[in-house]
Amino acid sequence: MDIVFLEPTEPRVHPSKSFTLREDGKLDVQSFPNLFHVTSHTVPVDDIQTFAAATEAGARAGFAQLKGRLNRALVNESRRGSTATGDPTEWVMLDIDGVPGIDD
């Protein structure tokens, strides 16, 4: 199976949410920034260990992990039209923001 990472090509854009702890102990969450131009990186993985290692390496590199497949490689361009939401996938990503007890 392959997993895909998107590298932002805009300067100073980091593809992640940001969290700031307020004085009252609550978290402020800044949404994921819009990425207008990206370069894709496809990584083959054979098992959960290589999946985890690739995911960690992609995060360290500042890449966004794409949930889905690309129909072509991207080089400093928009990903618009490069994915089909109905394509089958082989893994699940859970976003747990807002779950009571997780980010209190």
Side-chain angles (χ1 to χ4, degrees), residues 1-8 15 32 35 38-45 50-51 54-59 62-75 79 82-83 87-91 93:
M1 149 175 91
D2 291 338
I3 56 175
V4 177
F5 296 95
L6 301 177
E7 176 186 3
F32 189 92
L35 300 178
V38 297
T39 295
S40 62
H41 302 274
T42 301
V43 179
V45 296
T50 55
F51 184 96
T55 297
E56 290 173 8
F63 298 169
Q65 190 165 350
L66 179 69
K67 173 66 176 99
R69 303 175 188 191
L70 291 175
N71 55 28
R72 60 185 169 78
L74 303 175
V75 178
R79 71 179 183 102
S82 65
T83 60
D87 282 352
T89 58
E90 299 178 84
W91 57 278
M93 181 180 294

Side-chain angles (χ1 to χ4, degrees), residues 9 13 29 40 46 72 91:
T9 54
V13 174
V29 180
S40 62
D46 298 323
R72 60 185 169 78
W91 57 278

